Amino acid sequence: MLTSGWGNYPKVDAELFSSSKIQDIISYIGNNNNLIPQGFARSYGDSALNGHILSTRKLDHFIEFDSEKGIITAQAGVLFSEILQIVVPKGWFLPVTPGTKYVTLGGAISSDVHGKNHHKHGTLGQYVESMDILLANGEIKHCSKSENSELFNSAIAGMGLMGVILSATLKLHKIETAYIKQKVIKTRSLEELYELFEINRNYTYSVSWIDITGGARRSVNGLLMLGEHALREDLQVNKEKKDVIAGNPLDVPFYFPNIVLNHSTIKIFNTLYYAKELKKEKNAITYFDSYFYPLDIVNNWNKVYGHRGFLQYQFVVPLEHGLQAIKQILNKIADYGQASFLTVLKTFGKRNDFVLSFPDEGYTLAMDFPLTRGLFPMFDELDKIVLDYGGRFYLTKDAHLSPETFRKSNPEIEKFLEIKAKYDPNNKFQSLQSKRLGF
Ligand SMILES: Cc1cc2nc3c(=O)[nH]c(=O)nc-3n(C[C@H](O)[C@H](O)[C@H](O)COP(=O)(O)OP(=O)(O)OC[C@H]3O[C@@H](n4cnc5c(N)ncnc54)[C@H](O)[C@@H]3O)c2cc1C
């Protein structure tokens, strides 16, 4: 079957295998080479794609939930949306969550996902207490920070290349309510936004959406969204709180024609969107869903980019000179006449110990571009700027990097490959991405 990641690029003709029985999965691994585990295929590019795809979605059982201590053990194919349904009513929340709840536990660990709280709480992997991993030789290894720690530290952010995560135990975050106290601040320039990020470092959650359609030579409008888990007392005093209206997300039923999203339409959307918020600062209490997962309201929004698909470009540059680097990137994009529909800027805190983990202390920018002929040459230029500033790229979003660029930005790849050789000596686990990057 023809399949792809969230960006609908690249598309690959693959055999998809899925089973709820561990024994069947062991046999499949024994009988096939050149295969990659897949969760919910929410990675944008080619990291969960190959000729043989082992889908873990049928590993969808909860194993244990200690609602006193906030510790949950589940099979790898369980979705974050399913975990939230169980833990939120008991006063717990995911310690780290990406911008969609439609990811599997195994997929999120393999990407070592970050959220809006990285500057305070780090990545998801830092809350994984232990995992069971099925190796290439059919053996299941239990691992944690103290047991088989080398495997643990490289399977987290390991992009499915160490083995198949079968289950994991996660430490959750205590909450009093399912609501978020949100402050939205309208900003008129990157300088103002940077200053506000610094001033508001104490906020648990912070993220900004910016309009980059004119590059950095003119003012860059933005919205900084700060958030804290609301306490019971916040709900009592806040008169604006409205009951949550449950409902199905909207659906994009078909692919849009490719001409719908071009530089002009993206510019119009961004201008209207950033002009919409009239007040300089807005405070509200909002249900966690609308704060963390605004994009999930529209199912399959990726179809808006048409059949050709789109690519996300996400990098991080160190704090020092971060503003300069980002301005240079935005100007280069404007020079190429390209535009990103949705652009997200966040701060990252200190780096963790997981070998291939992406986040480094600094600023991270994620941009979505419809696939056009000029896109790859532009990405090559952006890559050079990111490398010049000592930045890194997020494999989960990538579908274009060259082996040379990746190695320069991720020198730890050699250590990763040494460890992989121990656990997967015949290189059974591979993805289109790992082959493109020459792992
Ligand atoms: C709208 C949207 C917003 C997002 N926001 C963020 C964000 O804020 N922060 C962030 O970090 N990411 C973000 N992402 C990316 C997303 O969190 C990651 O791509 C995540 O890994 C997807 O999980 P998945 O289950 O779909 O995994 P897949 O996409 O299926 O796989 C991702 C990787 O994990 C591996 N893998 C999957 N399951 C297993 C397993 N059981 N064992 C071993 N390896 C496995 C795959 O081989 C692949 O390399 C976003 C994605 C979308 C679509």
Short mmCIF file of all heavy atoms in Angstrom, two decimals, residues 25 47 58 65 101 123 126 139 142 152 162 177 191 204 209 230 248 252 261 263 270 275 294 299 329 364 374 382 431:
data_model
loop_
_atom_site.label_atom_id
_atom_site.label_comp_id
_atom_site.label_asym_id
_atom_site.label_seq_id
_atom_site.Cartn_x
_atom_site.Cartn_y
_atom_site.Cartn_z
N ILE A 25 4.71 -10.65 16.45
CA ILE A 25 5.64 -9.56 16.14
C ILE A 25 7.08 -10.10 16.11
O ILE A 25 7.86 -9.77 15.22
CB ILE A 25 5.49 -8.40 17.17
CG1 ILE A 25 4.07 -7.82 17.06
CG2 ILE A 25 6.53 -7.31 16.93
CD1 ILE A 25 3.75 -6.72 18.03
N SER A 47 10.76 9.23 8.80
CA SER A 47 11.39 8.48 9.89
C SER A 47 10.63 7.21 10.27
O SER A 47 11.19 6.29 10.85
CB SER A 47 11.57 9.36 11.13
OG SER A 47 10.32 9.70 11.66
N LYS A 58 -1.81 -1.93 17.46
CA LYS A 58 -2.63 -2.96 18.14
C LYS A 58 -2.09 -3.29 19.53
O LYS A 58 -2.73 -4.03 20.28
CB LYS A 58 -2.73 -4.21 17.26
CG LYS A 58 -3.62 -3.98 16.05
CD LYS A 58 -3.93 -5.25 15.32
CE LYS A 58 -4.83 -4.94 14.12
NZ LYS A 58 -4.75 -6.01 13.11
N PHE A 65 -2.03 1.40 36.43
CA PHE A 65 -2.06 2.84 36.72
C PHE A 65 -2.15 3.02 38.24
O PHE A 65 -3.14 2.63 38.86
CB PHE A 65 -3.26 3.49 36.02
CG PHE A 65 -3.44 4.96 36.36
CD1 PHE A 65 -2.34 5.79 36.58
CD2 PHE A 65 -4.71 5.51 36.45
CE1 PHE A 65 -2.50 7.14 36.89
CE2 PHE A 65 -4.88 6.87 36.75
CZ PHE A 65 -3.77 7.68 36.97
N LYS A 101 -2.39 15.29 20.41
CA LYS A 101 -2.52 14.17 21.35
C LYS A 101 -2.68 12.85 20.60
O LYS A 101 -2.81 11.80 21.21
CB LYS A 101 -3.69 14.40 22.31
CG LYS A 101 -5.02 14.52 21.64
CD LYS A 101 -6.11 14.87 22.62
CE LYS A 101 -7.38 15.12 21.83
NZ LYS A 101 -8.51 15.51 22.55
N THR A 123 12.32 16.94 28.32
CA THR A 123 11.62 16.13 27.31
C THR A 123 10.86 14.97 27.95
O THR A 123 11.06 14.64 29.14
CB THR A 123 12.61 15.52 26.31
OG1 THR A 123 13.48 14.66 27.06
CG2 THR A 123 13.44 16.58 25.60
N GLN A 126 12.65 12.05 29.94
CA GLN A 126 13.10 12.27 31.32
C GLN A 126 12.08 11.75 32.34
O GLN A 126 12.36 11.69 33.52
CB GLN A 126 13.40 13.76 31.53
CG GLN A 126 14.63 14.21 30.73
CD GLN A 126 14.79 15.72 30.66
OE1 GLN A 126 14.89 16.29 29.59
NE2 GLN A 126 14.82 16.38 31.80
N GLU A 139 14.80 -11.07 21.37
CA GLU A 139 14.87 -11.01 22.84
C GLU A 139 14.15 -9.74 23.34
O GLU A 139 14.23 -8.69 22.70
CB GLU A 139 16.35 -10.94 23.23
CG GLU A 139 16.63 -11.09 24.70
CD GLU A 139 18.13 -10.80 24.98
OE1 GLU A 139 18.93 -10.78 24.03
OE2 GLU A 139 18.45 -10.58 26.15
N HIS A 142 14.29 -5.54 29.40
CA HIS A 142 13.74 -4.51 30.28
C HIS A 142 14.86 -3.50 30.51
O HIS A 142 16.00 -3.88 30.78
CB HIS A 142 13.32 -5.15 31.61
CG HIS A 142 12.59 -4.19 32.50
ND1 HIS A 142 11.32 -3.75 32.22
CD2 HIS A 142 12.97 -3.56 33.64
CE1 HIS A 142 10.93 -2.90 33.15
NE2 HIS A 142 11.92 -2.77 34.03
N PHE A 152 18.59 1.99 27.08
CA PHE A 152 17.57 2.97 27.50
C PHE A 152 17.89 4.35 26.92
O PHE A 152 17.04 5.00 26.30
CB PHE A 152 17.58 3.00 29.03
CG PHE A 152 16.51 3.87 29.66
CD1 PHE A 152 15.20 3.42 29.74
CD2 PHE A 152 16.83 5.11 30.19
CE1 PHE A 152 14.22 4.21 30.34
CE2 PHE A 152 15.86 5.91 30.79
CZ PHE A 152 14.54 5.45 30.87
N MET A 162 16.64 1.15 17.38
CA MET A 162 17.24 0.23 18.37
C MET A 162 16.42 -1.05 18.53
O MET A 162 16.93 -2.07 18.97
CB MET A 162 17.34 0.92 19.73
CG MET A 162 18.43 1.93 19.83
SD MET A 162 20.05 1.14 19.78
CE MET A 162 21.05 2.53 19.32
N THR A 177 -6.87 20.71 38.38
CA THR A 177 -8.04 20.82 37.50
C THR A 177 -7.61 20.48 36.07
O THR A 177 -6.42 20.38 35.79
CB THR A 177 -8.60 22.26 37.47
OG1 THR A 177 -7.74 23.07 36.66
CG2 THR A 177 -8.72 22.86 38.86
N GLU A 191 12.23 41.21 18.64
CA GLU A 191 12.93 41.69 19.84
C GLU A 191 11.98 41.68 21.04
O GLU A 191 12.33 41.22 22.12
CB GLU A 191 13.48 43.11 19.63
CG GLU A 191 14.71 43.23 18.79
CD GLU A 191 14.42 43.14 17.29
OE1 GLU A 191 13.24 43.06 16.91
OE2 GLU A 191 15.39 43.15 16.50
N THR A 204 5.18 27.87 33.36
CA THR A 204 5.44 26.48 33.01
C THR A 204 5.37 26.27 31.50
O THR A 204 6.18 25.57 30.92
CB THR A 204 4.40 25.56 33.71
OG1 THR A 204 4.46 25.83 35.10
CG2 THR A 204 4.68 24.10 33.46
N TRP A 209 3.29 31.89 18.20
CA TRP A 209 3.02 31.72 16.77
C TRP A 209 3.39 33.05 16.13
O TRP A 209 2.95 34.12 16.62
CB TRP A 209 1.54 31.43 16.51
CG TRP A 209 1.12 30.04 16.91
CD1 TRP A 209 1.82 29.16 17.66
CD2 TRP A 209 -0.10 29.36 16.55
NE1 TRP A 209 1.11 27.98 17.81
CE2 TRP A 209 -0.07 28.08 17.14
CE3 TRP A 209 -1.22 29.73 15.80
CZ2 TRP A 209 -1.11 27.16 17.00
CZ3 TRP A 209 -2.26 28.81 15.67
CH2 TRP A 209 -2.20 27.54 16.25
N ALA A 230 -4.48 25.43 35.98
CA ALA A 230 -5.33 26.19 36.90
C ALA A 230 -5.56 25.41 38.18
O ALA A 230 -5.67 24.18 38.17
CB ALA A 230 -6.66 26.50 36.22
N ASN A 248 -17.18 16.27 18.19
CA ASN A 248 -16.18 15.67 17.33
C ASN A 248 -15.38 16.76 16.64
O ASN A 248 -15.93 17.79 16.30
CB ASN A 248 -16.86 14.80 16.27
CG ASN A 248 -17.50 13.60 16.92
OD1 ASN A 248 -16.98 13.07 17.89
ND2 ASN A 248 -18.65 13.22 16.41
N VAL A 252 -11.22 17.60 7.50
CA VAL A 252 -10.95 18.05 6.13
C VAL A 252 -11.17 16.82 5.26
O VAL A 252 -10.42 15.86 5.32
CB VAL A 252 -9.49 18.55 5.95
CG1 VAL A 252 -9.21 18.90 4.49
CG2 VAL A 252 -9.25 19.77 6.83
N LEU A 261 -2.85 26.82 -1.30
CA LEU A 261 -1.87 27.41 -0.38
C LEU A 261 -0.67 27.91 -1.17
O LEU A 261 0.18 27.13 -1.59
CB LEU A 261 -1.40 26.37 0.63
CG LEU A 261 -2.25 26.17 1.86
CD1 LEU A 261 -1.46 25.41 2.89
CD2 LEU A 261 -2.73 27.48 2.45
N HIS A 263 2.02 31.65 -1.67
CA HIS A 263 2.55 32.76 -0.87
C HIS A 263 1.46 33.79 -0.55
O HIS A 263 1.34 34.25 0.58
CB HIS A 263 3.71 33.42 -1.63
CG HIS A 263 4.44 34.42 -0.80
ND1 HIS A 263 4.03 35.73 -0.70
CD2 HIS A 263 5.53 34.30 0.01
CE1 HIS A 263 4.85 36.37 0.12
NE2 HIS A 263 5.77 35.53 0.56
N ASN A 270 -2.25 34.89 7.44
CA ASN A 270 -1.44 35.37 8.58
C ASN A 270 -1.82 36.79 8.97
O ASN A 270 -1.94 37.10 10.16
CB ASN A 270 0.05 35.28 8.25
CG ASN A 270 0.61 33.91 8.59
OD1 ASN A 270 1.06 33.67 9.70
ND2 ASN A 270 0.52 32.99 7.65
N ALA A 275 -4.16 40.04 13.10
CA ALA A 275 -4.90 41.29 13.32
C ALA A 275 -6.13 41.02 14.20
O ALA A 275 -6.65 41.91 14.86
CB ALA A 275 -5.34 41.87 11.99
N PRO A 294 -4.64 22.86 19.80
CA PRO A 294 -5.55 23.63 18.94
C PRO A 294 -5.66 23.05 17.52
O PRO A 294 -6.71 23.11 16.91
CB PRO A 294 -4.94 25.04 18.92
CG PRO A 294 -3.52 24.86 19.32
CD PRO A 294 -3.48 23.67 20.24
N ASN A 299 -9.50 17.50 12.02
CA ASN A 299 -8.89 16.22 11.63
C ASN A 299 -8.24 16.35 10.27
O ASN A 299 -8.77 17.03 9.39
CB ASN A 299 -9.99 15.14 11.49
CG ASN A 299 -10.24 14.45 12.81
OD1 ASN A 299 -9.38 14.39 13.68
ND2 ASN A 299 -11.45 13.92 12.96
N ILE A 329 17.52 33.53 8.92
CA ILE A 329 16.71 32.46 8.33
C ILE A 329 15.44 33.05 7.70
O ILE A 329 15.07 32.72 6.57
CB ILE A 329 16.30 31.43 9.42
CG1 ILE A 329 17.53 30.72 9.97
CG2 ILE A 329 15.23 30.47 8.93
CD1 ILE A 329 17.84 29.38 9.42
N THR A 364 13.91 27.44 19.29
CA THR A 364 13.55 26.50 18.22
C THR A 364 12.43 27.09 17.38
O THR A 364 11.49 27.68 17.91
CB THR A 364 13.17 25.12 18.78
OG1 THR A 364 12.85 24.26 17.68
CG2 THR A 364 11.97 25.16 19.70
N GLY A 374 11.06 24.95 -5.57
CA GLY A 374 12.19 25.69 -5.00
C GLY A 374 12.50 25.36 -3.55
O GLY A 374 13.42 25.94 -2.96
N LEU A 382 19.17 27.23 4.21
CA LEU A 382 18.83 27.37 5.63
C LEU A 382 19.72 26.46 6.48
O LEU A 382 20.17 26.85 7.57
CB LEU A 382 17.36 27.02 5.88
CG LEU A 382 16.29 27.81 5.11
CD1 LEU A 382 14.89 27.46 5.62
CD2 LEU A 382 16.49 29.32 5.23
N SER A 431 15.00 2.96 8.48
CA SER A 431 13.89 3.73 7.91
C SER A 431 14.39 4.39 6.63
O SER A 431 15.59 4.43 6.39
CB SER A 431 13.43 4.80 8.90
OG SER A 431 14.50 5.69 9.17
#
